[in-house]
Amino acid sequence: MLDIGIIGGSGFVAGELIRCLLNHPEVNIDFVYSHSNSGKNINEIHEDLVEYPDWQFTNKVNLKADVVFLCLGHGNSTKFLKSHKFSDQTKIIDLSNDFRLLNDSVFKKRKFIYGLVELNKHDILQANSIANPGCFATAIQLAILPLAKYSANLKDLHVSAITGSTGAGQSLTPTTAHSWRNNNISVYKAFTHQHLSEIKETISGLRESDNLEINFIPYRGDFTRGIFTSIYTESDYCQSELVALYQEYYKDAKFTYIVENELNLKQVVNTNNCLIQIQKIGNKVLINSAIDNLLKGAAGQAIQNMNLMYGFDEALGLKLKANFF
């Protein structure tokens, strides 16, 4: 059994990690660290965990834990690792953006591998430290990886993507309050979203030229969880060629599926799946993708990475079903 530590245990992503790991047959949750909630019962924050009445957050850290998940705000993972010297044998999976870019990926003796499984599976199998991709970055990259890799004449990409309120974290802000989100929609960080950097780095690594323009408009949605992405560009491929290209690229992917029918978000919420639909309309190709931002976009992908690092079945602990109704 692997001893697991979760740092930053009171947030939405940590809650998802706890729920999945409690059903993982190869792990034991050794500690859940929360500086602000130390001593509180965990089910005071994650109220669904009523069957664990005496389980508490702690401010103590086991520096020899087998795996540590860092569920901290951006910039705080680096600070935490500077003040806590984990064993060289401890595998670290970071869910912030601190180590995602190549220029930031080396921290002391650790080399953080970018943990997009469908791109870097071989490196993840041998990794000691993982930088988990961002949620928007996951949905967008999975939608475009096959084209980016194999389409020599790929044109600029135009991306619209909408996320639920949990994508903004648990801290209450004017744009996360229910009274503002309900029956509402808005654009934010148009063309400047922080996930663009990791997307562009991936795409430039797959192509000889790095001048491909990615025009990204993110939206805040009036729902709780999930990301729905629509991407269009021009392509010389016909519909059947596009579908065959995507099916071949993802033939061994555990959680990524190419579907024919129109997508809707409920198909992926509460799962670790990514669904992709491709349509050729005139000279344009339209690619839609959908994921759960807290699972495939965060906690589920992190566990998928852990499973690979230890040689477990990739889907262990992640055989989740959508709650469609």
Side-chain angles (χ1 to χ4, degrees):
M1 296 284 283
L2 300 177
D3 283 332
I4 304 293
I6 297 172
I7 310 296
S10 61
F12 291 132
V13 172
E16 293 298 302
L17 271 173
I18 291 169
R19 294 176 193 105
C20 292
L21 291 172
L22 284 171
N23 292 306
H24 194 297
E26 299 292 341
V27 307
N28 165 62
I29 301 178
D30 184 41
F31 66 92
V32 181
Y33 175 98
S34 174
H35 178 74
S36 59
N37 291 292
S38 178
K40 284 186 181 179
N41 286 352
I42 289 176
N43 64 18
E44 289 184 47
I45 304 297
H46 304 298
E47 297 182 26
D48 57 306
L49 301 177
V50 292
E51 68 267 44
Y52 303 94
D54 301 319
W55 195 15
Q56 294 185 334
F57 293 108
T58 181
N59 60 3
K60 300 288 193 293
V61 175
N62 176 8
L63 297 174
K64 295 183 179 180
D66 295 301
V67 185
V68 170
F69 293 92
L70 299 177
C71 304
L72 299 167
H74 303 315
N76 291 326
S77 291
T78 302
K79 294 176 183 176
F80 194 87
L81 291 179
K82 284 180 179 177
S83 61
H84 295 80
K85 172 68 173 171
F86 287 98
S87 163
D88 291 342
Q89 282 68 52
T90 298
K91 296 187 187 296
I92 294 177
I93 300 174
D94 179 48
L95 289 98
S96 78
N97 67 3
D98 287 20
F99 308 110
R100 290 174 186 162
L101 301 181
L102 283 174
N103 286 341
D104 303 322
S105 62
V106 178
F107 179 83
K108 296 186 177 179
K109 295 180 180 179
R110 292 185 178 271
K111 165 68 174 175
F112 282 81
I113 300 299
Y114 188 63
L116 189 64
V117 172
E118 295 80 358
L119 176 71
N120 288 330
K121 186 173 182 178
H122 176 75
D123 291 335
I124 292 166
L125 287 166
Q126 305 170 66
N128 181 255
S129 304
I130 295 290
N132 220 55
C135 51
F136 269 134
T138 298
I140 293 168
Q141 287 176 103
L142 292 179
I144 62 177
L145 281 178
L147 273 182
K149 185 170 183 178
Y150 294 113
S151 180
N153 299 317
L154 186 61
K155 306 296 185 183
D156 292 349
L157 298 166
H158 302 272
V159 183
S160 297
I162 187 167
T163 186
S165 58
T166 53
Q170 203 168 45
S171 298
L172 187 63
T173 68
T175 57
T176 58
H178 175 74
S179 58
W180 191 91
R181 282 267 185 170
N182 189 42
N183 296 321
N184 202 3
I185 188 172
S186 68
V187 170
Y188 73 110
K189 298 182 180 178
F191 307 116
T192 63
H193 195 279
Q194 64 271 17
H195 290 179
L196 269 172
S197 296
E198 57 191 279
I199 297 169
K200 289 179 178 179
E201 191 164 87
T202 291
I203 300 309
S204 65
L206 293 173
R207 305 177 64 79
E208 292 183 5
S209 172
D210 62 355
N211 60 357
L212 186 70
E213 192 72 32
I214 303 174
N215 302 291
F216 176 29
I217 307 294
Y219 292 85
R220 302 180 183 97
D222 67 340
F223 50 92
T224 302
R225 58 195 293 166
I227 288 176
F228 192 97
T229 299
S230 292
I231 302 168
Y232 73 87
T233 187
E234 296 179 12
S235 176
D236 296 329
Y237 290 115
C238 69
Q239 174 79 24
S240 60
E241 289 172 329
L242 285 164
V243 171
L245 181 72
Y246 274 70
Q247 288 177 337
E248 174 64 21
Y249 188 93
Y250 290 118
K251 65 181 180 181
D252 297 321
K254 209 70 161 175
F255 294 103
T256 302
Y257 300 92
I258 313 306
V259 299
E260 294 183 8
N261 297 333
E262 290 188 1
L263 289 186
N264 64 77
L265 199 55
K266 283 189 175 182
Q267 290 173 272
V268 297
V269 169
N270 294 319
T271 79
N272 197 52
N273 294 336
C274 174
L275 301 189
I276 299 172
Q277 180 205 20
I278 309 116
Q279 300 176 68
K280 186 70 185 292
I281 305 167
N283 69 333
K284 300 284 196 304
V285 55
L286 173 64
I287 310 159
N288 294 320
S289 67
I291 66 169
D292 186 312
N293 60 296
L294 295 179
L295 287 165
K296 185 59 173 170
Q301 188 165 208
I303 293 171
Q304 195 178 350
N305 277 305
M306 180 195 72
N307 285 338
L308 286 172
M309 293 163 84
Y310 280 96
F312 301 145
D313 185 300
E314 206 171 317
L316 205 58
L318 293 172
K319 294 178 181 178
L320 311 169
K321 298 294 183 183
N323 184 10
F324 198 81
F325 297 103

